[in-house]
Amino acid sequence: MQPKIISPEDYINQALEERKESLNKLRKTILENLPNGFEEGIQYGMIAYYVPHSLYPKGYHCTPKEPLPFMSFASQKNSINLYHMGIYAVPEIYNWFVNEYPKHCKRKLDMGKSCIRFKKIEEIPFELISQLCQKITVDNWIEIYETNIKKN
């Protein structure tokens, strides 16, 4: 049984030694560039950034007790994964990211709907991630989320 992770610091302290520096740098990059209003914590077993209930009391529609998810990252077996819901929900941001990625990294983009996998931690494009973090404010994310919920 794995120990319960209660904070971002706990998460990083429990990571593989060779990944701690990259995880700390990724966390720092996100914290320095994410617009005001998002909160950091642990959500779904990962370091997460979300809209707190104080700003969006409805929470996540699937689990209203959870704050509205926005961005997270995790150390997985073969990679460090970054999850960004804006890439999934906003085609312009997806297109921007896909077009910018080769300017920051020689490796082929390994990406799912909202998941970007970095198999070579020494090649994580921190500058590109800092730009990605700045693309959506809390108010923008709430509006995007509300619009998408109404469509479904």
Side-chain angles (χ1 to χ4, degrees):
M1 185 172 163
Q2 292 205 3
K4 185 165 173 58
I5 296 168
I6 59 169
S7 70
E9 293 82 4
D10 260 0
Y11 188 97
I12 293 171
N13 287 337
Q14 293 179 38
L16 296 172
E17 196 60 44
E18 62 269 16
R19 291 193 179 178
K20 288 180 182 180
E21 182 178 344
S22 293
L23 292 169
N24 275 314
K25 187 171 181 179
L26 184 55
R27 180 179 181 220
K28 182 176 189 246
T29 298
I30 293 168
L31 286 170
E32 289 177 352
N33 290 283
L34 204 59
N36 290 333
F38 290 104
E39 284 187 5
E40 180 188 53
I42 298 295
Q43 199 173 36
Y44 305 106
M46 299 178 278
I47 297 176
Y49 304 88
Y50 45 78
V51 180
H53 282 107
S54 61
L55 296 179
Y56 190 71
K58 295 179 189 178
Y60 184 42
H61 74 281
C62 295
T63 315
K65 290 181 182 179
E66 287 286 336
L68 179 61
F70 177 63
M71 186 176 185
S72 58
F73 66 93
S75 180
Q76 304 291 354
K77 182 178 179 181
N78 296 314
S79 59
I80 290 177
N81 295 353
L82 176 69
Y83 303 87
H84 190 281
M85 297 307 294
I87 283 179
Y88 178 67
V90 184
E92 295 82 10
I93 293 177
Y94 172 87
N95 293 333
W96 168 82
F97 189 84
V98 169
N99 289 327
E100 286 296 312
Y101 186 85
K103 299 174 188 175
H104 296 265
C105 192
K106 297 173 191 161
R107 188 161 302 281
K108 182 182 175 198
L109 179 59
D110 183 356
M111 185 170 155
K113 289 182 178 180
S114 71
C115 174
I116 307 154
R117 291 173 283 278
F118 302 107
K119 291 182 179 165
K120 298 286 185 186
I121 60 174
E122 62 277 2
E123 295 181 18
I124 295 173
F126 294 103
E127 177 56 35
L128 181 60
I129 292 167
S130 70
Q131 293 172 34
L132 177 62
C133 289
Q134 298 170 30
K135 293 282 183 191
I136 299 177
T137 66
V138 169
D139 291 337
N140 295 145
W141 181 235
I142 292 169
E143 183 180 333
I144 291 163
Y145 179 75
E146 287 280 327
T147 300
N148 285 327
I149 289 297
K150 288 175 187 170
K151 287 180 186 176
N152 295 328

